[in-house]
Structure formats: C-alpha cells, structure tokens
Amino acid sequence: MSASVELSPVDLEILRLLQNDARITNKDLAAAVGIAPSTCLDRVARLRDTGVITGQHASVDAAKLGRPLEAFLFVQVRPHRRPLVDPFVEHLLSLPEVRAVYHLTGPDDFLAHVATSSAGELQRLVLDELTARDEVARVHTNLVFQHWSGGPLLPPGA
C-alpha cells in the first residue's frame, strides 16, 4: 500500500471540485479555490505526480450504450493462489462487459461489476467466460436495479 500524501485545505478543495467536475477549466478551478491559475496548475500536477489523482473519467449510462442489465458477479476460485490471480483478473478485464473487478476477502474471491445487453448475454458471460474456466468454483450473480454514487472521496476528517 502506498503512503498517504500531506494535503493542504486548498489541495482538498481542488480534489473535491475535480471529483465533482473533472472538466472544470484550470482558470475556473483556480478562481474557486482562490489561487493563481499557475499555482493551481502546479498543485494539480503535484497531485497527479504523487498519485493522488490517478486519472480523469467520463461517467457513462450503460443502458444508453445498449447494456441495460448490470450485475455483480461474486466469483470463488479454487485454488485461490497467487499464480491464478493475475491471469484471472486479466481475463476478466479483457471482457467488454466488465466495468470493474475487486479482489475480496471472505467466501468470495472476486467481485466483477458487469453490464450486458440482456439476461441471455449475462448467462453467456457467466457460463462461457467464467464457469467454463477450471479455476472457477462458483459464481453468484446479483442484479443491479438502481445505482447511486457517493460524494467526493477525501481523507478522514477533511
């Protein structure tokens, strides 16, 4: 795990604003936090260089892209050993339906968030891409009815 980075109140405000709107211009961001645009650019660059900001992403509506059925797939692999982890994760991430993968503790080893075009496509994904693999012992599927996102992620106590 990487060490946390010392962040000033201005840095925290920059992070909050960027997480709410990553398309904000540097000029508007600087004005919102009360610093010069050149200083703001330097601070954002430092946040990137230190790994606090890891990227900028567009949020998309999966249904509008022809993938209205979202699900969480809880996957148990056996044996759960390091040599299987990386190839299995690479396989999951290569599938166009997979939106995110998490390595877990507890009875399940992985959680994959997927978006498919239909129940039949979800079934094909589970049967042909997961349970057909030798290391996959079990797949438990939960459908997503609705999704809400939380607010910006900031350090504890910020």
Side-chain angles (χ1 to χ4, degrees):
M1 297 219 167
S2 58
S4 61
V5 175
E6 183 96 17
L7 300 171
S8 73
V10 172
D11 293 330
L12 294 173
E13 185 63 8
I14 288 171
L15 288 173
R16 187 185 68 74
L17 291 167
L18 285 175
Q19 286 180 80
N20 285 328
D21 180 7
R23 294 178 55 183
I24 189 172
T25 66
N26 183 63
K27 180 181 173 186
D28 290 343
L29 183 60
V33 299
I35 59 177
S38 59
T39 303
C40 188
L41 202 57
D42 289 343
R43 284 182 179 255
V44 171
R46 185 180 69 79
L47 291 168
R48 284 191 181 107
D49 292 345
T50 58
V52 174
I53 295 176
T54 59
Q56 293 177 218
H57 310 278
S59 295
V60 298
D61 184 330
K64 291 186 177 166
L65 295 177
R67 297 179 183 276
L69 185 65
E70 292 189 66
F72 288 107
L73 307 179
F74 294 87
V75 183
Q76 188 179 79
V77 297
R78 292 294 174 257
H80 186 195
R81 295 202 177 119
R82 182 161 297 282
L84 291 177
V85 171
D86 289 339
F88 183 69
V89 170
E90 286 176 25
H91 173 70
L92 287 176
L93 293 174
S94 75
L95 303 172
E97 300 87 357
V98 174
R99 303 193 70 189
V101 176
Y102 303 90
H103 194 190
L104 308 173
T105 64
D108 298 303
D109 302 310
F110 295 94
L111 170 63
H113 177 200
V114 301
T116 65
S117 60
S118 65
E121 188 60 22
L122 178 60
Q123 180 184 29
R124 183 209 59 78
L125 178 68
V126 170
L127 294 177
D128 296 346
E129 299 294 347
L130 295 175
T131 60
R133 294 179 63 93
D134 290 338
E135 72 270 27
V136 174
R138 182 176 66 84
V139 177
H140 175 86
T141 305
N142 284 32
L143 296 180
V144 175
F145 289 140
Q146 202 165 356
H147 168 260
W148 295 269
S149 292
L153 181 64
L154 298 173

